[in-house]
Amino acid sequence: MSFTAFDKIPHDRLPALLRDMPKAELHLHIEGSLEPELIFALAQRNGVALPYASVEALRAAYAFTDLQSFLDIYYAGASVLLKEQDFFDMAWAYLQRAAADNVLHAEVFFDPQTHTARGVPVAAVIQGLEHACRRAHQELRISAKLILCFLRHLSEDEALATLDEALPHKHHFIGVGLDSSERGHPPEKFARVFAKARAAGLHVVAHAGEEGPPQYIRSALDVLKVERIDHGVRSAEDPLLVQRLVKEGVPLTVCPLSNVKLCVFKTMAEHNLPALLAAGLKATINSDDPAYFGGYVNQNFVETFAALPQLGAREAYTLARNSFEASFADAGAKSHWIKQLDLAFEEAARVG
Ligand code: ADE
Ligand code: ZN
């Protein structure tokens, strides 16, 4: 079954449909879901001093000019995380919000090096996050899996040491990724650590083509052999690369609010998501760091569609369907979720 009656869905039904439709979220940094209120609560609980006087002062600092200006504040915010319970609380808060957005499946990035550098054991990070994922599955009926990201501004040897520390907990995460400062840190730098992760049976993804050039997307594919590209919006500058991504069905986890907040696009109306979809790319919509960029996944959907009249019910369906197909879930789960998606669209068409 596959929904096709898009013209029966009136345009004014679209915001509600975007919110209500089942979806997966595949690009979410759990440290980027730390709301200012939780940052201050954890700072107090752990006796960590913050360079901001109040929640309002911290929020006021969220005026970014590029990726690095954001990362500096994001790492400062994460400094309040010390204990397993802190990681649980952060992930539980995100998963409740995701469930409220009708996210049925989330693949959640975490940055262990941000925490191990402050003396936090990797076991505390992974166990706290995993406990929240397990509880969310039981109580919220949301499937949640973890992806360990290496910080690309650090060395490959540090990434290898992190992987070795984390491998005893391999049953608690499904893959590895690559994030942090993109420019000047090409995927090639991490060839050996990705080879080792693949040999351990882990899925592999990487941020590429957010601020970095299309060539970084090529080397993420050719050298790291990634299965998805995180962001990838700069692929549009290279028509041959677009052709390849379409032919190979490589998913892109696009994050529209993030792209606007980090000045990848000046305004949402200038975002290239409609062009990516029109080219046949398997794009998805995600929130990246929702506490910093102005909203969770449904806010991303609603603001993106409001600013881009080229996007309608057909594109909403495609994006949600892509999110399930591009996930690392098994085929049975994917087809179950896609049936639920079809039902949501049939209902919207029936009500008219
Ligand atoms: N870490 C958290 N958010 C990120 C982003 N948008 N790009 C690179 N690294 C990140
Ligand atoms: Zn990201």
Side-chain angles (χ1 to χ4, degrees):
M1 185 170 61
S2 179
F3 184 82
T4 52
F6 297 106
D7 48 5
K8 296 215 175 101
I9 299 176
H11 200 74
D12 61 1
R13 267 282 299 154
L14 204 49
L17 181 58
L18 292 167
R19 292 181 195 280
D20 295 346
M21 68 181 183
K23 55 188 73 75
E25 174 146 64
L26 306 178
H27 184 158
L28 174 282
H29 301 266
I30 199 65
E31 294 88 351
S33 74
L34 257 187
E35 293 288 344
E37 289 78 6
L38 188 52
I39 292 179
F40 271 81
L42 293 177
Q44 194 168 33
R45 187 159 98 187
N46 289 331
V48 175
L50 287 171
Y52 300 93
S54 63
V55 163
E56 293 69 34
L58 177 56
R59 239 195 209 107
Y62 294 178
F64 312 117
T65 50
D66 60 6
L67 175 57
Q68 193 60 50
S69 66
F70 154 69
L71 289 171
D72 294 341
I73 289 189
Y74 162 84
Y75 294 129
S79 70
V80 300
L81 296 159
L82 294 180
K83 307 266 168 47
E84 184 175 325
Q85 182 69 38
D86 306 337
F87 292 91
F88 172 86
D89 291 345
M90 171 174 63
W92 180 244
Y94 162 70
L95 289 164
Q96 285 178 294
R97 288 177 183 266
D101 278 2
N102 210 13
V103 171
L104 305 188
H105 175 72
E107 296 180 5
V108 172
F109 296 149
F110 67 107
D111 288 342
Q113 289 162 291
T114 304
H115 314 298
T116 53
R118 291 179 289 107
V120 179
V122 80
V125 178
I126 295 178
Q127 283 165 12
L129 298 177
E130 192 278 330
H131 180 196
C133 292
R134 198 161 15 101
R135 182 164 161 200
H137 191 233
Q138 288 160 358
E139 293 184 21
L140 306 173
R141 299 273 148 225
I142 178 171
S143 140
K145 304 289 174 191
L146 298 172
I147 296 181
L148 180 161
C149 287
F150 304 114
L151 299 181
R152 68 201 302 160
H153 66 275
L154 301 178
S155 71
E156 186 181 43
D157 283 344
E158 286 165 289
L160 279 163
T162 301
L163 181 60
D164 287 341
E165 261 186 273
L167 278 177
H169 307 276
K170 201 183 83 178
H171 49 297
H172 289 327
F173 57 99
I174 60 165
V176 300
L178 187 63
D179 64 7
S180 193
S181 323
E182 187 182 5
R183 283 203 212 110
H185 300 284
E188 288 86 335
K189 188 175 154 187
F190 296 94
R192 287 179 303 144
V193 72
F194 269 67
K196 187 163 184 180
R198 290 197 315 273
L202 290 163
H203 289 290
V204 288
V205 298
H207 285 52
E210 177 186 16
E211 280 190 346
Q215 181 52 38
Y216 282 20
I217 299 175
R218 291 182 187 281
S219 34
L221 294 170
D222 294 334
V223 181
L224 306 185
K225 306 199 186 307
V226 299
E227 298 158 83
R228 293 196 299 249
I229 296 288
D230 294 315
H231 293 293
V233 290
R234 288 197 58 194
S235 60
E237 295 168 26
D238 182 339
L240 282 179
L241 176 60
V242 169
Q243 259 183 34
R244 173 182 178 184
L245 292 166
V246 171
K247 186 157 161 255
E248 296 178 11
V250 179
L252 304 184
T253 62
V254 177
C255 306
L257 280 175
S258 162
N259 291 154
V260 175
K261 287 286 187 300
L262 301 188
C263 308
V264 173
F265 298 97
K266 269 206 218 86
T267 64
M268 190 63 93
E270 291 163 87
H271 200 286
N272 68 1
L273 182 65
L276 300 177
L277 287 172
L281 286 161
K282 207 178 187 62
T284 61
I285 282 189
N286 308 270
S287 66
D288 206 6
D289 301 284
Y292 292 89
F293 297 152
Y296 288 76
V297 70
N298 278 359
Q299 193 69 23
N300 271 271
F301 270 101
V302 169
E303 289 197 33
T304 306
F305 277 65
L308 294 158
Q310 309 94 307
L311 301 178
R314 179 183 303 275
E315 288 74 22
Y317 178 84
T318 300
L319 286 159
R321 189 178 172 118
N322 287 351
S323 74
F324 293 126
E325 288 177 351
S327 78
F328 294 133
D330 62 45
K334 288 185 190 187
S335 76
H336 175 67
W337 293 328
I338 290 168
K339 275 193 198 119
Q340 288 181 247
L341 177 65
D342 284 350
L343 286 174
F345 272 70
E346 275 158 25
E347 177 64 9
R350 197 183 59 73
V351 174

